[in-house]
Amino acid sequence: MLVEEVMKKEVITLPPDAKIETALKLLNKHHIRHIPIVNDHYEVLGIVSDRDVRDASPSIFDQNHSEQLTNEIQTIMSRPVITVHPLDFVEEVAGIFYENEIACVPVTDNQKLIGIVTEKDVLYTLIQLTGIHEQSSQIELRVENKIGTLPKITNLIGEHKVNISSVFIYPDKRHSGKKIIVFRIQTMNPIPVIESLKNHGYEVLWPNIPGVTK
């Protein structure tokens, strides 16, 4: 899935000379956590988070609180800013969030801001990709890491006239040379599929149904 499919196109922005109090009001009004800072050409100069603004906001016991809020937003913005392209993949954005410990990236095209992607957007996309929001059943298998294994299993599932909502594959940490395949199939009764997989020699890890998967 591409970034352009999940990004928010309506982005609240501020110029670098805007006041901190303006950012605070926008964050509260629109219930957002990040504001890109842009110039007149809509190029991204920096970004501020709700935490940046909160840390810059004075305590109620501070007598000079009004002066601090009138400081320009560029004094607290983070820069340089990591950005992504609309044709980047969402999983690449997830990697950026993890490696850089950030929760938001502006989306730019030709150096101009066109959208924004947050951790919440990526998490929701993951939920969609897993198919967990649909009525379905999950089957988890341990298989040898051999060419042709996946199409054999999908063909076997297809013989039961069952659609596959999603497939995830990852290395088996406990068994070198093996993979874990997680299928989500569009049926509330996976027993016939599980029995067929077992009869063809596949190791079913989940669901653990007595008399079927043991």
Side-chain angles (χ1 to χ4, degrees):
M1 187 173 288
L2 299 178
V3 166
E4 64 181 3
E5 299 177 67
V6 303
M7 70 182 189
K8 291 182 176 67
K9 296 181 180 179
E10 296 182 4
V11 187
I12 304 298
T13 64
L14 282 173
D17 58 354
K19 307 303 180 185
I20 294 177
E21 61 182 346
T22 303
L24 180 60
K25 291 177 181 178
L26 288 175
L27 290 168
N28 293 331
K29 178 181 178 181
H30 297 281
H31 304 287
I32 55 178
R33 296 180 56 195
H34 302 86
I35 301 178
I37 310 303
V38 300
N39 59 19
D40 294 338
H41 302 290
Y42 230 53
E43 297 169 332
V44 180
L45 304 178
I47 192 167
V48 294
S49 68
D50 55 348
R51 182 174 180 176
D52 296 328
V53 174
R54 184 173 63 249
D55 290 346
S57 299
S59 165
I60 58 175
F61 301 106
D62 192 331
Q63 296 180 350
N64 297 319
H65 64 280
S66 59
E67 294 182 6
Q68 294 182 44
L69 288 175
T70 57
N71 289 334
E72 293 184 350
I73 198 69
Q74 61 184 333
T75 61
I76 65 168
M77 71 182 185
S78 298
R79 55 183 170 184
V81 183
I82 297 174
T83 63
V84 296
H85 189 272
L87 298 182
D88 287 340
F89 291 104
V90 174
E91 53 265 39
E92 294 173 349
V93 177
I96 290 173
F97 287 161
Y98 177 78
E99 292 173 5
N100 296 277
E101 297 183 352
I102 56 177
C104 169
V105 286
V107 184
T108 60
D109 189 9
N110 292 323
Q111 298 184 335
K112 296 184 182 298
L113 180 69
I114 62 170
I116 195 168
V117 178
T118 66
E119 274 187 329
K120 186 176 180 180
D121 298 326
V122 172
L123 180 59
Y124 179 70
T125 301
L126 177 61
I127 293 173
Q128 288 183 303
L129 291 175
T130 60
I132 198 171
H133 61 292
E134 302 174 348
Q135 286 190 337
S136 58
S137 299
Q138 182 170 304
I139 298 177
E140 185 172 321
L141 308 173
R142 177 183 288 125
V143 301
E144 296 289 341
N145 186 18
K146 294 182 178 179
I147 296 174
T149 299
L150 182 59
K152 288 179 181 178
I153 298 175
T154 56
N155 286 337
L156 193 58
I157 294 174
E159 291 177 2
H160 293 269
K161 308 300 180 183
V162 175
N163 286 330
I164 299 173
S165 298
S166 65
V167 181
F168 281 84
I169 304 174
Y170 58 92
D172 187 346
K173 294 182 179 179
R174 297 183 179 180
H175 299 82
S176 178
K178 292 190 176 183
K179 296 281 189 177
I180 303 296
I181 304 181
V182 182
F183 291 93
R184 187 165 288 277
I185 58 176
Q186 293 180 358
T187 178
M188 298 307 293
N189 179 23
I191 292 179
V193 176
I194 293 172
E195 290 178 334
S196 181
L197 290 168
K198 291 288 290 183
N199 290 336
H200 282 78
Y202 292 106
E203 182 182 0
V204 179
L205 302 178
W206 180 264
N208 185 11
I209 303 174
V212 178
T213 59
K214 286 188 177 181

